[in-house]
Amino acid sequence: MNIRRRSPGKGRAAGVDQDVARIQTIWRECRAGAKGGPFLFGSFTLADAFFSSIYGPTGVEHLWTFAAQSDRFVDHERPGQLGVGKRQFCDDPLESAFSFRQLSRADQERVYQLEQQGASGAAQVPAYWEARWPCTDIKVLPDELKAAGISWKEYRGPNEWVQPLRMVRHVRFSSMWKDVVSSDEFIPDLNNGKLPSVSWVSPPFPLSDHPPLSMCRGENWTVRLMNAIMESPYWKSTAVVLTWDDFGGFYDHVAPPHVDMYGLGPRVPAIIISPWSRPGYVDHTTYEFASVLHFIETIFDVPPMTSRDANASDMLGAFDFNQQPIGPLPLAQRNCPVTPIQNVPEEPTA
């Protein structure tokens, strides 16, 4: 959605006034649940203080959505670190990626202080990094769920950057890997009554909203999945946290809280969609990816894995379990304009 509609030649003040008026109009429509409003915010809960857990990039951000940490990794493989030429993580011991070294408490404090000093301080932080194989054995939430007898799956679209559980040795090389499946299996599992209790779902790269790809096509992918959930028997007991791992690159006046030397990262969009989410509610609570983990841990009574998920909000304030449940609100998919970028590889390399 483009809310920056500054008129050339009319000066900054006129442009800002126009922006504000446009934003106010959009907001009124969304609050009212007007048809065509973006994901009918007026019917569900918008979390406007939701941040990525780590400064970036995509690969380690997704690992935080499973583990509330990244085992010190702060980057994905760069050119020259790719081993056989494509990101294969635990399948390729020739790969490397940057992570913090094992730091003393004093060095951790030093890094934290450098991050407080803006660009000049941040430029000194890589001195505390090392390159190592991005294959770890940290605990992930599926470990806790499995131990508690709770079913789970990761439905992952082909995307070379988004393979978080391929970075976890005991998942990749065990029977747990059978629960890492294609995103194409989500709707068949839903329709066949085989959906697990907890699901992570991510799209194929061409439908990921990543610039310069079509956001319209990405939106349609999400609408198709959400419509299928809403029209299924699962809807009455489902909560979906729809979020993105990056913020889009535009300026944001809201600075992320600095909780440790990994983040928080930039603010990202987040919508909480459920029959029990508070309709038309804007939740100003500070959330991050670990908040979703804490929510799952609370619902299914499993222990936290790190201090991040232990201390994150459990997100229950976004729900009202005494309200009249919200019924299905399916959306129509849009007719997407033809874009110059058509033949995007499913697993691109950087």
Side-chain angles (χ1 to χ4, degrees), residues 233-283:
Y234 288 104
W235 172 242
K236 62 185 178 183
S237 59
T238 291
V240 175
V241 180
L242 174 61
T243 189
W244 285 253
D245 65 77
D246 281 319
F247 68 110
F250 294 99
Y251 172 77
D252 187 353
H253 68 286
V254 178
H258 191 193
V259 300
D260 56 32
M261 63 185 191
Y262 296 94
L264 300 178
R267 190 166 61 149
V268 294
I271 313 164
I272 301 162
I273 305 172
S274 171
W276 310 105
S277 60
R278 297 169 64 179
Y281 178 60
V282 181
D283 193 341

Side-chain angles (χ1 to χ4, degrees), residues 58-70:
T58 291
V60 286
E61 286 170 332
H62 280 262
L63 184 55
W64 278 78
T65 69
F66 281 88
Q69 63 156 309
S70 55

